[in-house]
Every structure is written in C-alpha cells, then in structure tokens.
C-alpha cells in the first residue's frame, strides 16, 4: 500500500546517518528515486518504511573544482552534469553518458550517485566515471573516506555500501593537455531501456602515441571491469589502424560478453564492441587535438 | 519549526498546504486532492511523459515524484498556462480562455488528436522554451524524447513548438500552417478546421473517465489467473473480505445471469470459477471493491487461488495440430476462411516463374496512452450508468445488461473522451466488473487498469504465419496467388474471425489476379486474445504480399513499381472475392504521385544502395509498397448508423450519434458535414457522441467506417432537418419553400431573416420538436464466397520509404516517407494530415520498435519500458499526397482514412532494408542484430 510510510528530508550527512540507524526499518536512501521507486512499485524490492531523501545535503549538491580535481556531488541531477561547462571541459565522456540517461524529465530527477549506487553493470553514468578513474567519497563512521569507484560493486544491482554509508560524491583529475575522453552506446529499439553495450574511453596522447588509456565496456561481467588487456595493446603505440585492429582482436580474446535474452547474443555484442571501440577511440583521439 | 505533518508548495501561483500522505506521488496529489486532472497518468512507470509538470522551471515526471519532495517548491501544471477570461462569452474557441502560445499553436497545427498526451507535451515544451527560447528541431526532439504520443502527431507537435517559440519571441500571433484544401471543397467541407474539443484538450480541462469522481465512489481491482492454461481448483477470498475497507469480493459464484461476454461470439467468461478452465493469463478470477485503490490492491493479493496447470498451446500452428489440447469445447479452430477465384492448376501452369515464401508477423499492443477505465454508477431507480471511453457503446450496453440481468434500456453507457483506441477499446475491459460491483454495493465503482494490466489483458494484433505462393508471366503479369494463413486469435474470439477474414480477402494485395486461393485458420491459443487493431488483418497480409512482390520483381528483373502498376486494381477490375470495381479506385494515381516524387528526390534508380559520403558504413536506399483496405463492415453484415440532429433553443444544431471519437477526428467530420448541409458555420453545430440514452446507435467504431456510415447518417439527417424547417417556415410565413435558405445562425425567408434561436423557440412553443432522426443503411454487401459486392468501397495507398542502415550495428532509421492515400474526399484536411502522419509513424513503430513478446502464454512485455512505441525521434520527413477518387455513396465522396495510412509503411521499410543491405526481412519487427549477423555471414 504505497511504496513507503515515512519520507524524511535531511539537510546534513550526520542527520542522514542518524536517521538511517534509528528510523523504523526497512529504511533506504532515496535520491532521484528513478530507480528505487519503480523497483519497489514493480515488486523487485520490498516496500520500505522510511525513505531518507539526500537531495538537500549541500555537500552532495556541489559540482566544483577542488585543487587538481573536479568534485561532483552524488546528489547532483544528471541533467546538471550533462550541461555543466566544467564537466564538458574536463570529462566529456561523463557529459555524454549522463546526457543519454532516460529522457529530460528523468534526467532532471535522477542523480549520478543513484546511477552508481544502483550498481547495474551497464549504467551509463557509472561506466563513464570508471573510465575517468574516479575516486568515490563515502561518508562512514562520521568521516569521509575515499575509495576507487571500482570497489563499490559487489554484483549486478549490489553495491558494497553498508546501510549507514552514504555516497557523497566523486573526484577525478582535471584534464591535462593531451588528455580527452568519450562515450557512446548502442541500444535496441525494442525492449528494455538498457543499452546492449556502452563504452567509455579516456586517453592521454603524446604526439601520435597513445601514452595512456582506460577502456570500459558495460555490461561485461557482473561488475564493471576495465578492458585492461586491450588497453595494453594500445598503450605506448601509435594511433594507427593496425593497432586498432589488434585491439579488436584482443578484445574478442580477453573481454567476456554474455548472451542476454531479448537483448543481444554475445556474438552480436562482440560486433558492437568492435564498432564502439573504434568509434569512441577515434572520437577521444580527435578531442585530444582540441585545447 | 515547520509543521512536520504538512506539505506546503505553490501550484499555478497559489499556495497550498496539505497533510502528508504516506506513499503519495505528486501526480496523485494533484489529481485527487487538488482536482488538477489535466495532469495525466499514462503508465505510472516514468516512461510516457503524460504526467509531466514543471517544478522550479524543470520538467519532472509527477507519477514518480514523491509528493513530499514538492515541499517549498513552485509547480506549474497544464491548468496554470491558460488564464480564464472574466467575461468570456463561452462560445468561441478563444472566448473563455486566453491561451498560452503553445496551446494556441498545438490547436492550429492539428497536434491534438486523442489529447491524452497533450498536457505532457505542452508542459515539456513549456520547460524547454523557458530555458531555450529558440530551439532547433533537434533540440525539440531531444527535449520531447520521452514524451510519447501514440496518435503520433509528432510532425505537428514539432511545428507547433516552433511556431509558439517564434510567436513568443516576436510577439506576433501564431499563423496557421499551410494545409491544402480538398480538390472539390465545398463551402465548409474540404477546408481545415480546428477540432471542437481541442481547447479543452490543450488546457487540461478535457475529462477522461479516470478524471471523474463521484461521492462514495469505491475502487475496484481484478484478481487475474496469471497462468495461461489450467483448471481452477479453489478460490479463497476470506482474507480479502476481512480486510478493513473492502466492500465487496465477487467470484464466478456470484454470476446469476449471463456468464460470458464477447463481441461476435460470447465465449469470454466474466470470471472463471472453481472447476472451470483458465485460458490465458488475463482471465479474471475475482473482483474486489474497496474504499481506496490501495486497499483493493492489497485485497487482491490476499485472495488465494489454486490452479492446476494444463499444457499450453502457444501458437496458431500448434493449435491446429490434431493432438493439440482443446482450448474450447468447440475445439481450437475459430474459423476456416476461404477465398477462391479461377483455377489454381491452370494459373500456376501459365506461370513462367513460381515463388514461394513464408512470412511471420508478431503481435502488437495498441498502447493507447490512456489505460482502460470504467466507472459504474447505480441509480436509485435501478438503472446503471457506465462512464467509459468505449469504441462501441451499444455493445457495452448489451453485454453489461446481460450479465447484470437487466433490460438493455436499464443500462446507460455515457461515453467519455477516449485517450486513444486504435481498435483496442472495442471489447469489454472493466465495464462489466465495475457494474457487478456497483450492483452489489449500491455505490459508484471505478475500475482503472494499470499499464501492466492493460498490456496483459486486452486483445492484441493477431500474430500470423503467412505462406505465399505466386505465379507470374516473365513480363510480371500475375497468374495465380495461393496463400495459407494462420492467425493466433488467443484465448477468446473477440473480433478474430472478422480480422482474419480481412487478412484473407486482402491476402493477394491490391492486384487483379485471375486465379486466387486463400485458406486461413483462425486459431484459439492460450495467448492473450487478439482482436481489432488499426489495419485489421490487412496489415499482416500486406507485409507478406508486398515483400513477395519485391522478390518477384527481383526474380523477373522487372522494375518493382512497374510490376505493381501492371497488376494494380483499377476501375473495371474484379477483386479476388469476385467484386467488380466500378468506381473510386485511385491506386494508379497514388503510385504515380509517389513515383514522381521519389524520382525527383532520389533519381531514376532509387532502389540502389547509396553509401554515405563521409561514412562508408552508412548506407541508404528506398523501398516501395502499396495497399488497399475496405471501408465499412461489408461481407453481408448489415452496416448502419443512426444520427439525430436537433435545433436547440440557443440556435445551435446538435448532432448526436453513439459513434466513438478515439482521437481520429470524427466530431469534426460530422460537424463539417452538418454545417455544410445546413448552411451553417462550424460554430452553429455541436456534436454529442456516445451516450446510449441520448444518441442513436452509430455502430462500432471500427473498419474505417465512421466517416462513411455515420457521416452519411449525419448528412441525411441534416438534409431532413433542412426539409423539416423549410416546410414549417413555408407554412408559417406563407412563402414558397424555394425562397427559404439557411445562413449562419439565420433562416433567410424570402426577404426577411429570422434567427434560428427564435425559430427553435417558436416551434417548441407550438409543440413541434425541431429534431430529426435518420438511420443510414450502407449499401448491401455480399458475404464472402458469394461473389459480388463484398465491400461498399476501398481506400488505396502507395508509399515510398527511405531507410538508413548502419552496416556495423545493423541499426535502421527511417529518414523519409512519401505517401499518397486515396481517401475519396478530404472532408477535414487538417485532421486527415494527423491521420496520415500518425499512421506512417505507427507503421515505423511496428516495423522497428514494437515487439509484443509472449513466451509460453506469459506476457514478457508487460511494461511500457519493454513494449516500445515510437518516440519523436522516429519522426521522418513526410511528403504526403491526397488522392481523391470519390465513391458515389460516400459523404461528399469520402471513404475510410484511419487504417490505410499505416498499412504500406511496414513492407516499404522492410523492402528498403533489402534494397540497402540485401537482407530480406520476413518476420517482424526488423531485428538489427539479424541484419548485422547476416552481413557478417556475407563477409566470410
Ligand atoms: C525511463 C528511464 C530511463 C532510464 N534510462 C537510463 C539509461 O539510459 N541509462 C542509465 O544508466 N540509467 C537509466 N535509468 C536509470 C536511472 O535513471 C539511473 O540509474 C539514475 O541515475 C538513478 O539515480 P536516482 O537518483 O534516481 O537513484 P535512486 O532511485 O534514488 O536510488 C537508486 C539506488 O541507489 C541508492 N542511493 C542513491 N543515492 C545514494 C547515495 N548518495 N548513497 C548511497 N546510496 C544511494 C538508493 O538507496 C537506491 O538503492 C533510467 C530510468 C528511467 C526511469
Ligand atoms: S505517467 Fe508518468 S511517465 Fe507515464
Ligand atoms: S494525441 Fe498524443 S496520444 Fe493521442
């Protein structure tokens, strides 16, 4: 009867933690609610007693440069991230990825924290953050802890966050000369709203050499993983078709894709991975030329 | 400290403070507690955008926004855009309201059809223009991406947003779009007019069934089997009955009169009782009425049902096997339908080439944005009122009355606005259940389907398997076509027999062929029932035969347009059912129009693949298809409609018919028709539809028949009204009847003018009711198998569609459509344009996005998130030609429009895919993975 009994809007992290540990169970954090409320409504999650709304905690609504890094609060709506000049400047992949989530109305409510905490292996915003080598900030035991974003995932739909741990925001390095990032995905026009495959790439260029690179595909496995062997094939080499072809070959040998009913066979996913790798890599490479 | 129990926010400039309610979404608060029912709920799952409101300047889905989150915010809903004028005269469109430029533009551009999505469209656009006053087409599409319109008025929506943007920036009024008038336009008919209901639809004041509220109203829910085949062993409702707030729980035991419903064949149990058979997942087992919807939902969960599963029959082909489990006592065969013409042996012997291929079409859901809703209200005198958006009000009345054990006259169906139907609101949905619960409790009962229930329960488009064998001479002349069709009509008959009959009679396409044989097996299965859906069987067979025509053209190396021209039906042709077409066959002109435009756009070889200059993996090409579709029921079914016209005391003519408006624009057509005949302007004619107490039976709104049949009824009624008034006035004023004419609002009697209002009052004072009733009978038709005239008329169409295929991913886009439709006469060109655009986009949806998946009787696509209908991103550039070959008995020559517009789109797309990449699509929808994997195979 309704998805919740009590809806509690908190203003500070301490208040949130306090409520999380004292409110009537079951209790859950809610941000945009675009995942959580539908899951409860459709019976994929049990009905909760208390929802703790974290949208009004100042620290979590911040999007700003801090030192050599960009900070994006977990409660920033993805539409704000897409359109943020700072994000566009430092992490186009993140702007692109968040701009593809749902439609504009969903993006006005959905947050980046929710996209990550939901821990789906192909969440667009999350995949782009992985490519940015993002550090996540967690508020736990009254202090802020920084962990690599990859450590947040346990399995599909399961994060490693404990009940009273709150995801506060994300840090990644500001863009340096020669660096760039890009994101793209392929959807199926029928069926579920999840991409068949998405891909985010961050790259550091030195003249015509790929000095450093990070490549992530989603979904590939129960938790997001970097395509490290593919990265190795490209790292330190020139941006040339022969290396791209070699990278595709390595991709087929080392990255595991699954067949998922109604979405795609593994064989088709490899085709798309070829396409995306080349498309996204070239897009990122071209961007390194821009200042 | 703020009061923790209250939510306070501003809505449309007014501060409101309300008590918090656990679990309440903003949409529910707005609709139920503030009566702001302009905000619609189409899906309740954040997919459709109908519930969009603007919060602090941003478009938000209110169905998924906790009401408590609105605290301290500023909300604008559709009701907040227009301002009501203090001294409006209430007559004209702009009389009562000063509308926002967006609202004005939506009306003028004909973007309003059924209207259900319109508040969401306008609010999303409003938020866009607030932040981006001059959006490009791409930006409009980006902003409206998830605000769905099933009537698919997307081109008009884009036009309207651009026009509003310009008007806001320049301060100039919005000008009307250019829509050509009909070729033989009359004084009124053949000119574009705005829909009479559009002002209500753009301001949010239009009322749909779920917007109604009655004192003491209970809320109903239905316990469904959720198992496709089985025997009910036990039903325990005790826990549900004990739940506080539950007012009634009924099961099959409580049925005391008729126990089944159905449109042609009554084979659909109102509820399945203990010991009885479950035939599909949507079968009703029990119904509950409670004080609130939440309580009713909870009660449904408490009902314990034991069903012993039976083997599942999951396809028509399986159902036809001899050892298949029998679904009904009569067996699994609903109907074997046959078409015979000429002699097949000699037909194939004459052929130089014979081709054979089997095609598959998938089921589709109507996905009208307004889910089914019925409200039953018992009256003290024992009558029952049903408020429902229904395509066939009189059939509802009969079915409800028979289950309640009442006389038909004891039941009154009060038709409400329909938020899209497309054939999916012809069968009983909640009408009977709501009425039973109202009868039991003595209170009004609302039964609203949620989206999941809608997707599971109501009849779908028939899945078919179509085996075609064609024979042709080497020059392309067709000598014989043989077809074997299997149609999956699901658990119950619905209109299955009619639909599959149409599929069968249209199976060899709009061609004259000397030898034709078609056999169709309409089979019961344990899938959701299949029934009427825009295109009515013809869509499926057109996909098969139009693909086959392209295969034949390739085999014979003849031009694929020439092949169609050579065999096309024309005046003097005899159809495969033996009907001589003696008039009104515009197919060749449709082909000519499309062909000319196509060559202009794409050169003389439009069907070759063209690679993108910048990206060698993008390839484009065109595809072509034609179609025809009957108008009216035909096949010997008596096809009639009644219409009544009354001159009201205020001088307005009211036209009444129980035909339904699904968004297709029927009221405008009837209004124009009456206005033309009565010498009036549109403001002097009002249309009342779908009330079984007040309006005569208009027959079913199906088979593209309303313009023709009800249009004729109104035309004749208007003529009779003119005669009546003329006779009365001639007598009273002692003038020759020839000296009496009617002009806007007035009668011209020789040299004097008398207001119609005065005439109405005078006649009434003399006990003469200025009212006429006319029942129009469509010309008699012959049943299938007897030859002769099976249908009163046919509409024809040709389309060329451009596709763009990504060779690496297999993704398909449709950038352009050229369409020509022979509709006899364009009574309202603006409304017709909406039908044509909407039809083409629905066709694109069927070809590319829509796949209703049923696995072993279970509906997999039970959410809008899984059953995808085309968004504004699928809007192609549409070039449209209206072809008008009038049919002599149609109103002003008009014939059906609603279905023909969509039928050729699908094969034109799949043919274009073949022309672009060489992959033949023989099962729907197009699967991008299949295209890519086929390319991969071609490479090795
Ligand atoms: C129509 C539609 C289309 C969509 N399309 C896409 C798409 O294309 N791509 C895509 O990636 N996603 C898509 N989504 C999914 C969804 O919008 C995103 O995952 C969204 O970013 C989730 O954010 P939220 O704020 O709404 O999360 P919520 O629903 O509020 O929360 C999600 C989960 O995260 C937890 N949580 C939230 N914030 C925190 C926090 N700060 N600390 C700890 N736990 C937290 C919640 O407890 C909950 O378990 C779509 C959703 C809809 C409805
Ligand atoms: S009703 Fe809210 S998105 Fe459909
Ligand atoms: S007008 Fe958009 S759904 Fe009907």
């Amino acid at each position: 009867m309704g998805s919740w009994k009590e809806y509690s809007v908190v203003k500070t992290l301490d208040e949130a933690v306090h409520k999380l540990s004292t409110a009537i169970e079951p209790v859950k954090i809610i941000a945009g609610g675009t995942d959580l409320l539908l899951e409860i409504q459709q019976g994929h999650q049990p009905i909760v007693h208390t929802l703790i709304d974290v949208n009004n905690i100042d620290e979590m609504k911040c999007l700003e440069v801090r030192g050599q890094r960009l900070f994006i609060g977990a409660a920033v709506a993805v539409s704000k991230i897409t359109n943020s000049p700072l994000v566009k400047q430092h992490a186009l992949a993140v702007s692109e990825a968040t701009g593809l989530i749902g439609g504009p109305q969903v993006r006005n409510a959905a947050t980046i924290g929710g996209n990550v905490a939901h821990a789906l292996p192909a969440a667009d915003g999350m995949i782009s953050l992985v490519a940015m080598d993002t550090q996540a900030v967690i508020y736990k035991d009254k202090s802020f802890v920084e962990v690599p974003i990859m450590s947040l995932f346990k399995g599909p739909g399961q994060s490693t966050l404990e009940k009273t741990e709150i995801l506060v925001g994300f840090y990644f390095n500001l863009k340096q000369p020669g660096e760039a990032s890009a994101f793209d995905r392929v959807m199926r026009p029928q069926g579920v709203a999840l991409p068949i495959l998405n891909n985010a790439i961050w790259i550091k260029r030195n003249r015509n050499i790929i000095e450093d690179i990070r490549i992530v595909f989603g979904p590939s496995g129960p938790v997001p993983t970097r395509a490290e062997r593919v990265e190795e094939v490209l790292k330190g080499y020139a941006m040339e078709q022969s290396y791209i072809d070699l990278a595709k070959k390595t991709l087929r040998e080392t990255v595991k894709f699954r067949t998922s009913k109604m979405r795609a066979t593994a064989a088709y996913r490899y085709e798309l991975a070829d396409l995306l790798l080349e498309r996204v890599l070239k897009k990122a490479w071209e961007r390194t030329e821009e200042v | 400290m703020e009061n923790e129990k209250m939510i306070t926010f501003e809505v449309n400039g007014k501060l409101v403070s309300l008590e918090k309610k656990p679990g309440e979404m903003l949409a529910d608060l707005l609709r139920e507690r503030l009566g702001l029912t302009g905000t619609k709920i189409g899906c309740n799952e954040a997919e459709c955008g109908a519930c969009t409101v603007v919060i602090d300047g941003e478009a938000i889905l209110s169905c998924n926004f906790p009401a408590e989150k609105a605290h301290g915010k500023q909300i604008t809903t559709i009701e907040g855009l227009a301002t009501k004028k203090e001294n409006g005269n209430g007559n004209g469109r702009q009389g009562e309201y000063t509308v926002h430029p967006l609202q004005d533009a939506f009306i003028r551009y004909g973007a309003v059809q059924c209207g259900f999505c319109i508040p969401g469209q306008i609010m999303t656009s409003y938020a866009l223009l607030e932040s981006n006053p001059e959006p490009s087409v791409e930006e409009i599409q980006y902003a409206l991406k998830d605000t769905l319109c099933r009537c698919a008025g997307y081109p008009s929506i884009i036009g309207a947003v651009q026009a509003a943007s310009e008007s806001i920036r320049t301060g100039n009024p919005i000008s009307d779009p250019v829509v050509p008038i009909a070729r033989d336009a009359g004084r009124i008919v053949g000119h574009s007019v705005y829909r009479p209901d559009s002002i209500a639809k753009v301001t949010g004041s239009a009322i749909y069934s779920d917007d109604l509220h009655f004192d003491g109203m209970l809320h109903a829910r239905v316990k469904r089997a959720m198992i496709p085949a089985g025997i009910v062993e036990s039903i325990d409702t005790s826990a549900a009955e004990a739940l506080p707030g539950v007012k009634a729980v009924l099961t099959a035991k409580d049925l005391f009169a008729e126990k089944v419903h159905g449109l042609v064949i009554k084979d659909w149990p109102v509820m399945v009782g203990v010991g009885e058979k479950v035939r599909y997942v949507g079968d009703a087992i029990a119904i509950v009425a409670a004080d609130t919807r939440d309580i009713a939902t909870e009660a449904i969960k408490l009902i314990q049902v034991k069903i012993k599963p039976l083997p599942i029959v999951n396809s028509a082909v399986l159902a036809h096997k001899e050892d298949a489990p029998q679904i009904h006592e009569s067996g699994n065969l609903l109907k074997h339908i046959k078409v015979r013409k000429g002699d097949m042996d000699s037909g194939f012997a004459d052929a130089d080439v014979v081709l054979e291929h089997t095609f598959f079409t998938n089921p589709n859901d109507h996905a009208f944005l307004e889910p089914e809703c019925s409200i039953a209200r018992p009256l003290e005198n024992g009558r029952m009122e049903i408020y429902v958006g229904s395509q066939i009000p009189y059939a509802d009345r009969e079915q409800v009355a028979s289950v309640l054990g009442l006389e038909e006259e004891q039941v009154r169906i009060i038709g409400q606005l329909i938020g899209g139907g497309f054939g999916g609101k012809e069968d009983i949905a909640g009408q009977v259940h709501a009425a039973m619960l109202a009868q039991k409790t003595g209170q009004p009962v609302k039964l609203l389907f949620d989206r999941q229930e809608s997707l599971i329960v109501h009849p779908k488009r028939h899945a078919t398997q179509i085996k075609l064998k064609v024979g042709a001479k080497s020059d392309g002349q067709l000598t014989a076509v043989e077809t074997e069709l299997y149609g999956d009509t699901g658990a119950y008959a619905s209109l299955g027999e009619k639909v599959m009959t149409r599929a069968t009679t249209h199976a060899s396409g709009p061609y004259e062929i000397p030898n034709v044989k078609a056999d169709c097996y309409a089979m019961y299965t344990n899938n959701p029932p299949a029934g009427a859906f825009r295109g009515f069987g013809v869509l499926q067979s057109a996909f098969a035969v139009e693909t086959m025509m392209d295969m034949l053209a390739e085999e014979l190396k003849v031009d694929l347009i020439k092949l169609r021209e050579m065999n096309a039906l024309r005046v003097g042709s005899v159809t495969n059912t033996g009907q001589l077409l003696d008039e009104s066959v515009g197919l060749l002109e449709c082909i000519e129009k499309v062909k000319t435009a196509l060559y202009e756009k794409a050169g003389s070889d439009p069907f070759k693949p063209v690679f993108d200059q910048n990206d060698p993996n993008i390839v484009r090409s065109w595809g072509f298809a034609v179609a025809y579709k009957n108008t009216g029921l035909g096949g010997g079914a008596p096809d009639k409609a009644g219409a009544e016209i009354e001159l009201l005391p205020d001088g307005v003519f009211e036209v009444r018919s129980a035909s339904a408006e699904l968004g297709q624009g029927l009221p405008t057509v009837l209004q124009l028709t009456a206005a033309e005949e009565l010498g009036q302007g549109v403001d002097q004619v009002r249309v009342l539809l779908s009330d079984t107490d007040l309006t005569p039976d208009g027959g079913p709104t199906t088979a593209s028949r309303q313009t023709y049949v009800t249009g004729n009824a109104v035309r004749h009624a208007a003529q009779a009204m003119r005669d009546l008034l003329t006779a009365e006035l001639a007598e009273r004023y002692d003038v020759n009847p020839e000296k009496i004419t009617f002009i806007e609002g007035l009668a011209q009697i020789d040299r004097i003018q008398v207001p119609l209002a005065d005439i109405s009052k005078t006649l009434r004072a003399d006990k003469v009711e200025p009212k006429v009733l006319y029942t129009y009978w469509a010309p008699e038709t012959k049943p299938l198998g007897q030859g002769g005239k099976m249908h009163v008329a046919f509409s024809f169409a040709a389309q060329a569609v451009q596709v763009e295929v990504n060779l690496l991913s297999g993704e398909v886009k449709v950038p352009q459509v050229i369409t020509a439709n022979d509709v006899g006469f364009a009574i309202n060109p603006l409304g017709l344009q909406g039908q044509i655009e909407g039809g083409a986009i629905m066709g694109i949806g069927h070809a590319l996005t829509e796949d209703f998946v049923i696995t072993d009787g279970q509906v997999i696509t039970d959410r809008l998130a899984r059953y995808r209908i085309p968004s504004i991103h699928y809007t192609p550039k549409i070039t449209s030609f209206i072809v008008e070959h009038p049919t002599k008995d149609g109103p002003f020559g008009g014939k059906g429009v609603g279905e023909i517009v969509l039928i050729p789109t699908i094969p034109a797309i799949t043919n274009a895919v073949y022309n672009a990449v060489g992959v033949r699509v023989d099962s729907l929808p197009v699967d991008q993975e299949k295209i890519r994997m086929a390319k991969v195979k071609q490479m090795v």
Side-chain angles (χ1 to χ4, degrees), chain A residues 16 27 55 60 71 95 121 128 153 193 208 211 224 241 252 258:
Chain A
V27 51
N55 290 297
M60 292 175 67
F71 176 78
S95 169
S128 69
F153 310 110
N208 71 332
E211 195 175 289
Q241 192 62 42
R252 284 182 186 252
R258 268 188 343 115

Side-chain angles (χ1 to χ4, degrees), chain B residues 111-118 121 148-153 157 368-369 418-420 422 662-663:
Chain B
V112 181
Q113 298 190 42
C114 82
F116 200 77
C117 74
I118 295 301
Q121 303 288 357
L148 302 174
C149 177
R150 186 52 156 167
C151 303
I157 291 172
F368 31 70
L369 279 193
I418 304 179
F422 312 107
L662 325 177

